[in-house]
Amino acid sequence: MFKITRSEELSQNEFDFWIDAPRIAKKAKPGQFVILRIDEKGERIPLTIADVDAEKGEVRLIFQVIGKTTAALSKLKKGDSLLDLTGPLGMPTEIENYGTVMIVGGGVGIAAIFPILKGLKQAGNRVITILGAKTAELVILQEECRQYSDELIITTDDGSLGMKGLVTEAMEQVIAREPVNCSWAIGPSIMMKFCTLTAEKHQLPIYVSLNPIMIDGTGMCGGCRVTIDGSIKFACVDGPEFKGSEVNWDEFISRMRQYQPEEQASLSDYQKAQVNQHG
Ligand code: FAD
Ligand code: FES
Ligand code: MG
């Protein structure tokens, strides 16, 4: 069992948990993730290790409520436990001193980009961070990202915070202003695709973190199959980070949607059961 030691609601639909998991905390590196199961009836879901508290032996998970399992997870509180937590999984980010790096996080993807920007800053890079979300309330981890960034640019779709517009517009402004050696983007698939197109236009290397459906997380089930540079890869063991310019985005985006009817049915059954249980 893995105890939740701290829990906080970051926004209406986003939650921040710290979990007691000393063995994972000791090994985790930026870019890696865990697979968790709430209880014996629950499905397995992957979440990025957003941070580590090495002293306390805790890992931080930040998630958005999007369906049945994340809704059930959001009901847990400090002191509750998860049945399983497996990790760290996946290949870590290649953290080195590249010079100037541009880091783009969108929505809950900000949680996944945070350990990467922190690692890159600690490795001596000049870090320019761009955080984007629909509205001000959804720009999570602002102060923590600022702490490890030489410059922090915020964009919102509605202009309620920072610049009104898309992260790709902020990318263009930075690229026009100064040389950038490498970049990372994590967020919705469509955002990562357009960040890749923007970076490619300027011959800027870009890495993205793919989030296909994962089940076992060990390369056995094939659920997380993606096409990278024309070859089949499994995001759980070969990724989740890949070069953006090598991703077959159309296939990736269409595979992400393949179980939507089942996911919606499962969420609505869960919500009905909650109403019956709690009135
Ligand atoms: P469902 O209604 O079951 O599904 C909603 C959508 O979530 C689906 O359309 C699909 O796109 C995705 N999804 C569903 N099941 C899975 C699954 N088993 N594996 C992957 N995606 C799934 N989300 C966060 O909020 N924070 C994170 O830090 C984070 N890190 C991730 C890291 C990796 C490597 C991957 C692959 C995914 C990550 N996700 C993260 C996405 C998260 O796993 C899904 O949002 C979650 O599984 C949804 O479960 P659900 O039952 O609530 O929703
Ligand atoms: Fe099964 Fe990657 S999750 S192969
Ligand atoms: Mg689900």
Side-chain angles (χ1 to χ4, degrees), residues 27 35-36 58 76 79 110 120 127 136 148 150 162 176 183 194 204 220 226 237 242 256 260 267:
K27 288 203 230 150
I35 289 196
L36 66 82
E58 294 174 0
L76 301 183
I110 296 171
L120 287 165
V127 176
Y148 295 100
D150 293 275
S183 64
F194 280 95
L204 169 64
M220 303 293 282
V226 289
V237 286
F242 296 101
M256 287 289 286
Q260 252 169 17
L267 178 62

Side-chain angles (χ1 to χ4, degrees), residues 64-261:
Q64 182 181 25
V65 173
I66 188 168
K68 180 187 166 186
T69 303
T70 46
L73 196 59
S74 72
K75 299 278 184 293
L76 301 183
K77 296 278 166 275
K78 179 179 164 182
D80 291 337
S81 291
L82 304 173
L83 178 65
D84 293 330
L85 195 71
T86 310
L89 297 170
M91 299 291 287
T93 304
E94 278 186 37
I95 301 286
E96 49 184 87
N97 193 337
Y98 296 87
T100 299
V101 294
M102 183 158 62
I103 308 292
V104 187
V108 76
I110 296 171
I113 208 91
F114 174 64
I116 298 176
L117 74 87
K118 184 174 172 184
L120 287 165
K121 179 70 193 159
Q122 287 168 342
N125 290 278
R126 167 167 159 75
V127 176
I128 303 173
T129 302
I130 302 170
L131 304 181
K134 285 199 178 97
T135 187
E137 203 223 339
L138 301 177
V139 187
I140 57 172
L141 306 184
Q142 262 181 71
E143 287 320 311
E144 285 159 288
C145 289
R146 195 183 303 279
Q147 197 188 332
Y148 295 100
S149 303
D150 293 275
E151 185 180 351
L152 182 78
I153 302 169
I154 294 176
T155 70
T156 48
D157 296 357
D158 62 2
S160 52
L161 186 69
M163 172 180 150
K164 183 176 190 310
L166 301 172
V167 289
T168 46
E169 293 166 42
M171 283 176 77
E172 290 281 8
Q173 288 181 8
V174 173
I175 296 168
R177 191 188 71 193
E178 66 177 290
V180 179
N181 303 100
C182 198
S183 64
W184 279 259
I186 307 184
S189 320
I190 198 76
M191 180 203 100
M192 293 193 285
K193 176 181 171 176
F194 280 95
C195 289
T196 298
L197 295 176
T198 305
E200 274 179 336
K201 208 164 72 183
H202 301 280
Q203 291 83 45
L204 169 64
I206 185 161
Y207 291 90
V208 297
S209 182
L210 298 185
N211 56 343
I213 291 191
M214 291 188 182
I215 301 133
D216 65 330
T218 63
M220 303 293 282
C221 73
C224 67
R225 173 170 66 81
V226 289
T227 305
I228 305 296
D229 199 20
S231 311
I232 289 179
K233 300 278 179 201
F234 296 121
C236 66
V237 286
D238 300 318
E241 208 170 278
F242 296 101
K243 285 185 181 147
S245 54
E246 296 186 349
V247 175
N248 180 332
W249 288 106
D250 294 340
E251 178 196 71
F252 177 68
I253 291 169
S254 76
R255 271 177 63 83
M256 287 289 286
R257 298 195 186 115
Q258 66 186 327
Y259 299 112
Q260 252 169 17

